[in-house]
Amino acid sequence: MSPIVVECLNHWFGAGEVRKQAIYDVSLEVDRGSLTILMGPSGSGKTTLLTLMGCLREVQDGSVRLFGAELKGAGIQTLEAMRRRLGFIFQAHNLHESLTARQNVLAGLQVHGRGDPARHNVAVEHMLRLVGLGDRIDYLPGNLSGGQKQRVAIARALVSNPEVVFADEPTAALDHDSGMAVVRMLKTLGQERGTTTVMVTHDNRILDLADRIMTLEDGRIVGDQRKTP
Amino acid sequence: MTRLLAALLGRLPIGWLQLTHNRGRMIAALAGVAFANVLVLVQLGILGALNGTVAIAYAPFEADIFISSSDANTLTDGSPLSRRVLFRALSDPQVEAAAPLYLANVDWTRHDGSIATMIVYGLPVEAQAFAGSFIREALPSLAMPDTALIDRGTRAADSEALSRVSPEAPLQFEVNGRTITATGNFDLGGSFSADGSLAVSDQTFLRLFPSRISGTPSHILVDVSDGAESTAVVARLAERLSPEPVKVRTLETAKADDLTYQLTQRPTGVIFGFSVAMAVVIGLVIVYQVLSTDVADHLSEYATFKAMGYPHRFFLGIVLEESVVLGLIGFLPGLIVAVGLYQFVAGLTGLPIEMTIARATSVFSGTILACAASGTFAARRLRAADPAELF
């Protein structure tokens, strides 16, 4: 079953005179374990679509089903439960400035409940080492470079083994090598654990790794290219 | 501290961490909370002083039942009573004893030319049972005409010199054209209507105030016999004395009525009550500003947490955590400053302004409640919005 099913999705911003449609009649399905890339010029609605699928924006018209559950008109409890099954990597890193790298990543685990602190700690440190920050574990974001902060944000999104990862330009702040490393990690997660990734990017270097590339323009899907393995 | 809170909360102590992360902002927030505390504590202290002065005014005498003229609202404002009332009260089988209490204000012009208004308490020298503890022992010695005990807490007086006044080292002074010899002292202090007190015998009182014939005490003090119920005797005396223009109350009720009257009918009391209300409102506004600014500052960080699936009560928990920390740490400097100001005002006015544990605890819990309510109110923006709109 597809973890994400979108049908006839429309979305508007603003109200009254300035109401402007951002998404037009978008329908798509994403396969489990796949790496899908959303491309398109800025303002084409990529991030809007991503936030709609990621339970960060209320669905106005049409249907978005995550793991079989309808998001349109869903109650806050359903949305919160859904969000906990997702990993979201934001365009801006959005780390909590007062928390160290360790604490930021830990917040990604504690959302699931109290848990065993020792096991949490092991998972957090493992994750931070995986993104190459083993020597920056107890640094505050203010003492990390942009790329390092982005990698903390990635670790935070992935630490709880989400079923679906939404990533909004995750490699924008990273150099070529670490950017590739992150995308490869997501790809491996898909192959090994069945983690589904939907990624917005302008980065042409990572297109080769994608299973599917969708192109948006003015809120419509204008290209859908699947790679046959 | 972080570890302790983490164990206590079962999660990262994010409220604590974000407060301590920005010291400057935390100090500003604490200063705000402390200032709100000072404001409310000082106003409550001044209001409490009114309470204190009422208690002081009643301290020189003791009784179970207090009979006053029906037009008396405070100790000194009623018409004199007829002595007949005293004897009628005594005729009740459960009345053990009764004594007249004479009260009047007198201006004492001191040798430096300053004038102090003194409340003069006149009691029969044999009525020791009705005298306050600090007068009781010396009361018989006041049988000597024109002798008095003087209040060493009298406003603007040299309290050290007055505290040395004794039978061996008496102090002579003139009031109402008579020379009075103080042969002892006690410590009461001034109030809003007087600067100090004098205790004299009923005979000396009547010499000081020739217009007050001995048939006209200000109030009548009544003690009930052992085992008798004061309230029952009050009811019976009120019945028995009903033709007279008097009111019969227990001393406690009389005190409470006096305080209520001063708080609600006299301008000073009303103004003090109003100042307390203003201070509470201003304090609330300050605390709300502090907490809502804090929530606004962290809104995008909270939005990220919301996007991760944290429920609203998680943010309320953070706000509550911050409220408790700010309320706790802000209270202490507020309390210290307020106590300092109490002493300053007390020294300046001679009024009994003191910190009470009840006042400190109620202001403290009020602060934490106000912080929590403000934070909850400020966080409502977070509740309504989609996370994507807050980044």
Side-chain angles (χ1 to χ4, degrees):
Chain A
M1 189 183 71
S2 303
I4 309 167
V5 180
V6 178
E7 277 168 2
C8 307
L9 184 67
N10 289 292
H11 196 82
W12 293 265
F13 284 118
E17 296 274 309
V18 291
R19 187 168 144 114
K20 191 175 174 302
Q21 189 158 3
I23 300 285
Y24 291 88
D25 198 31
V26 165
S27 297
L28 60 92
E29 277 186 36
V30 178
D31 296 334
R32 184 170 180 275
S34 67
L35 171 57
T36 302
I37 283 181
L38 289 177
M39 294 195 70
S42 58
S44 60
K46 310 182 295 291
T47 299
T48 307
L49 181 57
L50 205 68
T51 51
L52 281 165
M53 293 189 293
C55 307
L56 303 188
R57 223 180 260 293
E58 202 185 345
V59 176
Q60 294 170 344
D61 183 57
S63 160
V64 177
R65 285 197 298 280
L66 264 185
F67 316 116
E70 178 59 58
L71 295 189
K72 183 169 189 293
I76 184 71
Q77 258 112 12
T78 314
L79 290 177
E80 280 165 4
M82 286 294 160
R83 286 171 194 158
R84 286 197 282 271
R85 295 171 73 176
L86 308 175
F88 220 102
I89 303 168
F90 303 96
Q91 195 163 5
H93 56 80
N94 287 60
L95 294 181
H96 196 299
E97 286 296 319
S98 323
L99 305 183
T100 62
R102 178 201 299 277
Q103 291 166 333
N104 265 294
V105 178
L106 188 56
L109 274 179
Q110 286 189 343
V111 71
H112 297 283
R114 211 176 174 119
D116 172 15
R119 283 175 65 183
H120 275 176
N121 223 2
V122 171
V124 167
E125 289 183 11
H126 173 73
M127 200 63 230
L128 280 168
R129 269 196 292 274
L130 218 58
V131 295
L133 290 174
D135 55 343
R136 295 281 190 279
I137 288 178
D138 289 309
Y139 279 49
L140 283 169
N143 300 327
L144 296 173
S145 72
Q148 287 168 335
K149 280 190 264 199
Q150 184 64 311
R151 280 185 278 164
V152 176
I154 291 165
R156 181 180 61 187
L158 299 182
V159 71
S160 60
N161 290 324
E163 293 160 71
V164 173
V165 175
F166 291 106
D168 195 356
E169 308 234 19
T171 58
L174 301 179
D175 59 60
H176 179 255
D177 287 347
S178 36
M180 290 306 278
V182 165
V183 179
R184 270 198 207 98
M185 192 161 83
L186 290 169
K187 175 105 180 149
T188 316
L189 283 175
Q191 281 156 356
E192 288 176 357
R193 295 190 192 146
T195 307
T196 309
T197 302
V198 181
M199 186 186 296
V200 165
T201 189
H202 284 117
D203 195 342
N204 290 320
R205 301 168 298 185
I206 52 184
L207 298 183
D208 293 342
L209 292 167
D211 298 311
R212 182 179 180 188
I213 298 168
M214 303 182 83
T215 313
L216 263 83
E217 236 167 70
D218 296 328
R220 292 180 177 84
I221 294 183
V222 295
D224 189 353
Q225 193 186 333
R226 274 171 206 266
K227 266 201 233 156
T228 38
Chain B
M1 185 70 191
T2 304
R3 230 172 251 173
L4 176 79
L5 283 170
L8 219 61
L9 295 166
R11 59 163 170 83
L12 283 167
I14 292 169
W16 168 255
L17 289 168
Q18 68 192 21
L19 276 176
T20 48
H21 179 64
N22 191 333
R23 294 290 158 99
R25 199 151 62 185
M26 180 169 176
I27 289 168
L30 285 176
V33 173
F35 182 72
N37 273 315
V38 169
L39 210 61
V40 174
L41 282 172
V42 165
Q43 292 303 333
L44 282 175
I46 293 173
L47 187 69
L50 190 59
N51 195 348
T53 59
V54 170
I56 281 176
Y58 283 77
F61 52 88
E62 285 171 9
D64 295 326
I65 295 172
F66 196 65
I67 302 176
S68 315
S69 157
S70 56
D71 61 356
N73 292 306
T74 68
L75 272 183
T76 47
D77 70 353
S79 319
L81 292 172
S82 162
R83 206 172 167 82
R84 189 174 61 239
V85 174
L86 176 74
F87 299 121
R88 294 182 75 161
L90 274 171
S91 67
D92 188 285
Q94 286 194 304
V95 166
E96 171 87 22
L101 171 68
Y102 294 89
L103 277 170
N105 284 344
V106 69
D107 282 342
W108 169 28
T109 310
R110 288 177 282 206
H111 50 257
D112 63 357
S114 66
I115 294 175
T117 302
M118 310 293 277
I119 306 185
V120 184
Y121 294 84
L123 271 175
V125 286
E126 66 279 8
Q128 258 181 305
F130 291 105
S133 56
F134 51 93
I135 291 175
R136 191 170 299 149
E137 216 170 298
L139 188 62
S141 70
L142 295 178
M144 193 89 101
D146 293 340
T147 54
L149 303 176
I150 191 162
D151 179 2
R152 64 173 177 271
T154 299
R155 197 171 289 144
D158 181 353
S159 65
E160 216 160 290
L162 289 180
S163 71
R164 284 194 295 272
V165 171
S166 65
E168 293 76 38
L171 171 77
Q172 286 201 327
F173 57 97
E174 199 172 295
V175 283
N176 269 12
R178 295 196 76 85
T179 303
I180 299 289
T181 308
T183 57
N185 68 85
F186 55 89
D187 187 17
L188 263 189
S191 69
F192 289 97
S193 52
D195 298 313
S197 317
L198 287 173
V200 298
S201 69
D202 52 349
Q203 297 310 313
T204 306
F205 183 92
L206 295 169
R207 289 156 78 109
L208 266 175
F209 302 97
S211 61
R212 292 282 290 271
I213 49 171
S214 67
T216 60
S218 307
H219 304 273
I220 289 163
L221 307 171
V222 176
D223 270 352
V224 300
S225 42
D226 283 344
E229 194 64 48
S230 291
T231 46
V233 181
V234 164
R236 214 165 42 237
L237 283 181
E239 173 84 39
R240 191 186 292 260
L241 298 172
S242 57
E244 307 277 353
V246 296
K247 47 184 167 190
V248 186
R249 295 168 291 179
T250 62
L251 186 58
E252 289 312 307
T253 313
K255 241 191 256 188
D257 287 352
D258 190 340
L259 180 62
T260 309
Y261 172 77
Q262 304 222 28
L263 283 177
T264 57
Q265 306 290 316
R266 293 279 274 270
T268 30
V270 175
I271 287 169
F272 293 161
F274 191 69
S275 311
V276 170
M278 290 289 288
V280 168
V281 169
I282 295 170
L284 283 176
V285 169
I286 293 173
V287 165
Y288 175 72
Q289 275 300 323
V290 167
L291 262 295
S292 65
T293 309
D294 185 84
V295 170
D297 285 343
H298 294 288
L299 207 59
S300 75
E301 290 168 336
Y302 293 162
T304 310
F305 282 136
K306 197 175 175 184
M308 287 159 66
Y310 277 103
H312 193 67
R313 62 168 190 280
F314 171 76
F315 307 108
L316 295 184
I318 294 179
V319 168
L320 202 67
E321 184 189 330
E322 292 197 327
S323 306
V324 173
V325 170
L326 286 176
L328 217 68
I329 306 181
F331 180 71
L332 206 64
L335 184 71
I336 292 168
V337 171
V339 168
L341 284 172
Y342 279 15
Q343 278 169 356
F344 175 70
V345 176
L348 216 61
T349 61
L351 291 171
I353 304 183
E354 277 166 354
M355 184 61 71
T356 62
I357 291 174
R359 186 183 306 148
T361 18
S362 57
V363 171
F364 173 63
S365 32
T367 308
I368 292 200
L369 266 179
C371 285
S374 311
T376 308
F377 192 61
R380 76 201 184 285
R381 210 185 124 202
L382 184 65
R383 166 169 238 153
D386 281 336
E389 287 163 15
L390 299 171
F391 292 136

